Amino acid sequence: MFRSIRWRIAIPYISLTLLIMLILGITVSYFVRQAQLSDLEESLTAQARLISDTLSLEIEQGLVTSAELDALAKHWSELLNARITLIDLDGVVVGESHEDRAVMDNHINRPEVQEALHDGLGVRIRRSPTLGYELMYVAVPVEANGELQGVARVALPLERVDANISQLERTIFGVTILAMVLTTILSIFIANRTTRPLLELTETALKMTEGRTPPPAPSPSYDEVAQLSHAFHALVNQLRRQIHALESEQGKLAAVLTEMTDGVIIADNQGHVEMINPAAANLFEIEISDAQGHSLAEVLRQHQLVELWQQCQQSGDEQAIMIELLHQQRFIQSIVISLGEALPGNYLLLFQDLTRMRRLETIRRDFISNVSHELRTPLASIKALTQTLQDGALDDPPAAQRFLERMDTEVDALTQMVSELLELTRIESGQVPLEFDPTAPQNLIEAAVERLGVQAERAGLRLHTAYPERLPEIFADATRLGQALVNLLHNAIKFTPEGGEVTISARQNGGVVEFSVKDTGIGIPANDLPRIFERFYKADRARSGGGTGLGLAIARHLVEAHGGRIWVESIEGRGSTFYFTIPIVM
């Protein structure tokens, strides 16, 4: 039944009517209830203020005592047909119309009382713990002789409001049922009148697809309708095949352009952008909708690229150029090609982001330079010591022994460098197995301080720790993560002058524990900060401090292997702070 067009027309009308009636009923009920509550609130507020003013006057004139307040509350309750409660500043009920005030709780924490004391008026709807049903409370302060004496509270049950709303809802429900019946009858009538021609056409089309002859035409024009229908269906089938082929090709092209990491722009002969893919829009920091139809100068904002397109337009040959986007620090290989016969008067602009390759080339070049620098000094020292021994120092046993000890020291330095380099390579390649266990962050800090405390004391530094008593456990390989922490602490000690301070701390920051190692040392130049975690990379000031230059690289890879992040903040001459985060045990 629900597959019929007739019901597809009728059911939305019926559903829409039901939805409108439901929304109308809910809206009307809500606004009526709010209106009645608002009226009730205004009435109770006026009554409460009247009681407050009357009570204030009688107190000022000495016409009422504390013992008479309970009787006054009952008297006013009879006049106003409401519950009256009088409360002193300590929250003690000194007058109550409906209950025995002697057994009532202290009311100082009642929300309406608190609002009345602080704001001058308190209004709340809540269930009374004393009476056991829902009431609206309105409380106002009572002042006499220029001082706050207490709070007068008036309350009425909401039974009458709820009864009125229930009656209104029953009325709306009845109207809804009547509207549904009428809407159903009218919708079915309209649906039958609307679908009858469609049913006849469907019957004819089915018979034609089954190879059967259509029934005789009721009018002379039937043959023409049949021919038109046949021609129409043939045309639809042909168009469907063509559209499907075009959509398939367009979908393939769109998918390729969308997923390409290279930026692609197609411009017309006037230099206006006809198509731009997401990679190009991201590269030139522009929205695709803002780029289409605009000139290349507006989109690219690079005069070299516009000139490159002009050169291609004039010569018809492929043009290429390498440019640097200074504000993004990116290197872009740009190629402009005339699309020729494929799309006459259009040009393809291709942009390849070679920033990563340039950076890798720089890192490779610096790595070779740094390795050569680190190896040259110990090798030159060993060579000089060897030549000295060959030139006769072997005949002087004390000198020979001293030279051999220095050679042993240099060999140890080379061995340490090679070992650390091999370890770093293993960590980067994932060949170092990590044994993750719940670990207390404070244990890692204390172990690092115990290991390097003597070195800090010998360097004349004050070593501090700072962390809360209770820190959540982290999921870590304690040995490897401790090695990263020791590397950072060792660097801080090494580059902090005598009399300085080094602080190692930890704190919870959301779902991670954030470690930090802060020193008051020489700091790191701003130009060196982006590359400080590269292997063998050293700031100029650090080159005289010894070491292999691999400690920070090892620390970075160990932290990242734990799913964390490491970074540094530093001001040259004012010290550095290294941070890293490790996820907590969930």
Side-chain angles (χ1 to χ4, degrees):
M1 179 179 69
F2 294 99
R3 294 182 180 179
S4 172
I5 296 179
R6 173 176 10 190
W7 290 106
R8 292 180 187 176
I9 295 174
I11 289 177
Y13 279 107
I14 298 172
S15 301
L16 181 60
T17 302
L18 178 60
L19 180 62
I20 292 174
M21 294 302 297
L22 288 176
I23 294 175
L24 180 63
I26 294 172
T27 304
V28 171
S29 298
Y30 173 80
F31 281 108
V32 170
R33 178 180 174 83
Q34 293 302 116
Q36 293 196 9
L37 290 177
S38 178
D39 293 341
L40 183 60
E41 178 182 336
E42 291 180 3
S43 175
L44 292 181
T45 301
Q47 294 173 8
R49 294 194 185 279
L50 178 61
I51 292 173
S52 174
D53 293 341
T54 303
L55 187 57
S56 298
L57 183 60
E58 292 183 356
I59 292 175
E60 290 175 350
Q61 296 177 355
L63 301 177
V64 64
T65 63
S66 299
E68 297 173 340
L69 292 176
D70 199 54
L72 275 176
K74 290 180 171 56
H75 174 67
W76 286 331
S77 175
E78 292 175 357
L79 294 176
L80 301 176
N81 193 23
R83 180 186 177 188
I84 308 298
T85 307
L86 303 177
I87 307 163
D88 66 11
L89 291 178
D90 295 326
V92 177
V93 177
V94 295
E96 166 60 33
S97 62
H98 283 57
E99 296 292 328
D100 183 2
R101 65 184 181 83
V103 297
M104 295 179 68
D105 296 336
N106 189 288
H107 279 44
I108 193 64
N109 290 324
R110 295 294 196 270
E112 66 277 2
V113 174
Q114 288 292 322
E115 290 181 2
L117 292 174
H118 289 87
D119 303 326
L121 177 66
V123 180
R124 283 300 174 96
I125 297 176
R126 60 181 177 80
R127 187 179 182 84
S128 170
T130 303
L131 302 179
Y133 49 81
E134 194 174 55
L135 298 95
M136 173 179 283
Y137 295 92
V138 176
V140 296
V142 178
E143 295 183 358
N145 299 319
E147 295 182 354
L148 187 63
Q149 302 294 325
V151 174
R153 188 183 69 179
V154 182
L156 272 179
L158 299 182
E159 296 174 349
R160 185 177 301 173
V161 174
D162 294 336
N164 292 338
I165 296 302
S166 298
Q167 178 63 33
L168 177 63
E169 290 176 347
R170 287 193 294 272
T171 302
I172 293 175
F173 179 75
V175 174
T176 300
I177 295 299
L178 179 60
M180 289 297 300
V181 173
L182 295 177
T183 301
T184 301
I185 296 173
L186 182 61
S187 298
I188 293 175
F189 175 77
I190 294 174
N192 287 334
R193 291 290 302 272
T194 303
T195 57
R196 185 180 298 118
L198 297 176
L199 293 175
E200 294 175 355
L201 179 59
T202 301
E203 182 180 358
T204 302
L206 289 174
K207 290 181 178 181
M208 292 179 65
T209 56
E210 294 171 358
R212 293 187 291 169
T213 304
S219 64
S221 62
Y222 187 83
D223 291 339
E224 285 74 8
V225 173
Q227 293 176 7
L228 178 62
S229 176
H230 177 75
F232 175 77
H233 285 292
L235 178 61
V236 167
N237 291 332
Q238 182 179 0
L239 290 176
R240 185 182 294 113
R241 288 191 295 270
Q242 294 177 351
I243 291 174
H244 179 73
L246 291 175
E247 288 179 346
S248 177
E249 294 298 324
Q250 185 177 11
K252 294 176 183 178
L253 177 60
V256 170
L257 292 176
T258 300
E259 298 301 325
M260 281 184 64
T261 57
D262 295 339
V264 175
I265 293 178
I266 295 179
D268 61 17
N269 200 39
Q270 303 299 320
H272 294 99
V273 174
E274 294 188 346
M275 192 278 295
I276 180 172
N277 73 338
N282 179 64
L283 184 63
F284 294 102
E285 299 177 341
I286 191 172
E287 296 293 333
I288 293 179
S289 58
D290 295 336
Q292 291 179 340
H294 290 74
S295 66
L296 288 174
E298 294 176 301
V299 175
L300 302 179
R301 299 186 295 276
Q302 297 287 332
H303 68 88
Q304 300 130 301
L305 299 180
V306 177
E307 292 175 356
L308 192 70
W309 166 76
Q310 292 173 344
Q311 293 173 6
C312 180
Q313 187 182 37
Q314 294 171 1
S315 65
D317 298 329
E318 176 182 322
Q319 304 291 326
I321 190 176
M322 171 73 77
I323 68 168
E324 181 180 4
L325 302 180
L326 296 177
H327 67 288
Q328 298 184 22
Q329 295 184 344
R330 287 184 174 183
F331 293 91
I332 306 299
Q333 174 73 24
S334 306
I335 302 174
V336 182
I337 303 172
S338 174
L339 295 178
E341 297 180 357
L343 285 174
N346 287 270
Y347 299 86
L348 174 67
L349 289 81
L350 181 64
F351 306 98
Q352 297 175 317
D353 189 352
L354 303 182
T355 306
R356 178 177 172 80
M357 295 181 61
R358 289 290 294 265
R359 289 177 179 172
L360 290 176
E361 178 65 23
T362 302
I363 292 174
R364 183 189 67 81
R365 186 170 57 250
D366 291 346
F367 174 75
I368 294 174
S369 175
N370 290 331
V371 169
S372 302
H373 178 274
E374 296 297 335
L375 292 177
R376 183 169 59 247
T377 300
L379 289 176
S381 179
I382 293 174
K383 180 66 175 179
L385 292 171
T386 303
Q387 290 178 348
T388 303
L389 290 173
Q390 290 175 344
D391 290 342
L394 285 173
D395 298 332
D396 184 355
Q401 180 64 30
R402 188 168 62 253
F403 289 162
L404 288 175
E405 291 175 354
R406 289 184 57 188
M407 291 175 65
D408 184 63
T409 301
E410 298 295 343
V411 171
D412 287 342
L414 287 173
T415 302
Q416 179 187 359
M417 183 189 308
V418 173
S419 299
E420 290 184 353
L421 188 58
L422 289 175
E423 181 179 11
L424 179 59
T425 302
R426 292 175 59 213
I427 294 172
E428 289 178 340
S429 61
Q431 296 178 2
V432 175
L434 298 178
E435 299 179 0
F436 291 93
D437 292 300
T439 304
Q442 51 267 37
N443 292 344
L444 296 177
I445 294 176
E446 294 300 333
V449 170
E450 181 180 357
R451 182 173 177 182
L452 296 179
V454 176
Q455 181 179 343
E457 183 178 352
R458 194 162 48 237
L461 305 178
R462 293 185 297 277
L463 187 56
H464 306 288
T465 60
Y467 51 83
E469 292 183 2
R470 294 185 178 180
L471 273 175
E473 291 186 330
I474 57 177
F475 204 55
D477 185 323
T479 302
R480 291 294 181 178
L481 193 59
Q483 178 185 357
L485 195 57
V486 166
N487 286 355
L488 297 179
L489 186 57
H490 180 267
N491 260 22
I493 293 173
K494 182 168 60 174
F495 298 116
T496 301
E498 183 177 357
E501 295 183 358
V502 176
T503 303
I504 179 171
S505 59
R507 67 184 183 95
Q508 183 179 1
N509 186 4
V512 299
V513 171
E514 182 181 283
F515 294 83
S516 66
V517 178
K518 180 179 181 181
D519 63 62
T520 59
I522 61 178
I524 304 171
N527 292 336
D528 294 318
L529 287 177
R531 302 186 58 192
I532 198 67
F533 292 103
E534 294 177 11
R535 61 175 72 183
F536 286 117
Y537 190 84
K538 295 182 180 181
D540 292 339
R541 292 192 179 198
R543 290 202 177 274
S544 61
T548 62
L550 297 173
L552 292 181
I554 292 175
R556 185 194 71 179
H557 285 286
L558 287 175
V559 168
E560 291 176 351
H562 282 76
R565 185 173 70 93
I566 188 170
W567 71 97
V568 60
E569 296 177 359
S570 179
I571 299 177
E572 189 173 5
R574 296 175 60 182
S576 306
T577 304
F578 284 82
Y579 300 90
F580 69 88
T581 59
I582 301 296
I584 65 175
V585 176
M586 303 302 291

